[in-house]
Amino acid sequence: EAGVTQSPTHLIKTRGQQATLRCSPISGHTSVYWYQQALGLGLQFLLWYDEGEERNRGNFPPRFSGRQFPNYSSELNVNALELEDSALYLCASSQQVSPLHFGNGTRLTVT
Amino acid sequence: AQSVSQHNHHVILSEAASLELGCNYSYGGTVNLFWYVQYPGQHLQLLLKYFSGDPLVKGIKGFEAEFIKSKFSFNLRKPSVQWSDTAEYFCAVVGGSSNTGKLIFGQGTTLQVKP
């Protein structure tokens, strides 16, 4: 079974630019979750999508947004990038309330 | 607001030593509890989970955890660690009877096992 895949692996952007991160869930999983893992801050919940709808979001500004496509893959968009957005962005998927399965993450560096 | 606290940020043990990593959460209702592990260069993997039933749950690789509701704790244990257990360990909780999707993680504990 293929796991959760994320692309790109690494992304380097300059302040003010936009970043787009992509995630493909495990086949059969309808829920996709996004987490930010910043140095010293642990994993912070960003967004949860299920069946194409945003179900919940964490305490992040509106410039963090995303969407889920009909095939359940997902995009995370970060607008007006700031230096503190530099982090590892993790995507996870699940089927209903089953445990989350994580991808390897996208390392975003903002210079 | 829900929160998870892991008491130990960095633990160093010798092989064959026993391990206990503390985890406390704050939430007054029904909870689902998890321990995840992140080996160097790998993605987060589920070690074990507690949804209901027997409060002592067994996971992969000889790990177990005990849910003590009165103490709001879910400590991770292993009787004898191996060098390959070197990794970062995260406790996580999702509260409520309905799925909010919001898994709250602790800050993580880095375990270093010396051969």
Side-chain angles (χ1 to χ4, degrees), chain A:
Chain A
E1 172 187 83
V4 176
T5 57
Q6 292 186 245
S7 63
T9 307
H10 293 88
L11 189 57
I12 300 174
K13 294 285 187 178
T14 56
R15 209 168 55 179
Q17 285 188 315
Q18 179 197 37
T20 298
L21 289 63
R22 295 179 177 84
C23 172
S24 292
I26 290 172
S27 177
H29 286 189
T30 59
S31 283
V32 170
Y33 310 79
W34 287 95
Y35 282 83
Q36 182 195 66
Q37 189 175 17
L39 202 61
L41 294 178
L43 285 102
Q44 304 292 318
F45 171 77
L46 262 168
L47 288 159
W48 171 36
Y49 291 95
D50 182 60
E51 297 285 357
E53 301 284 333
E54 181 181 303
R55 302 295 185 183
N56 203 351
R57 69 179 289 129
N59 190 24
F60 281 84
R63 57 191 186 82
F64 286 83
S65 65
R67 53 181 174 167
Q68 187 179 33
F69 299 99
N71 67 353
Y72 303 114
S73 66
S74 177
E75 269 183 7
L76 173 69
N77 295 294
V78 189
N79 294 321
L81 284 165
E82 300 178 3
L83 295 177
E84 53 265 34
D85 297 333
S86 294
L88 181 68
Y89 289 83
L90 294 171
C91 174
S93 73
S94 76
Q95 178 58 32
Q96 296 181 335
V97 295
S98 66
L100 274 56
H101 298 261
F102 284 85
N104 286 336
T106 293
R107 173 75 61 188
L108 173 63
T109 302
V110 183
T111 62

Side-chain angles (χ1 to χ4, degrees), chain B residues 91-108:
Chain B
C91 180
V93 61
V94 58
S97 55
S98 60
N99 180 20
T100 66
K102 192 173 181 179
L103 196 61
I104 306 298
F105 284 85
Q107 294 286 72

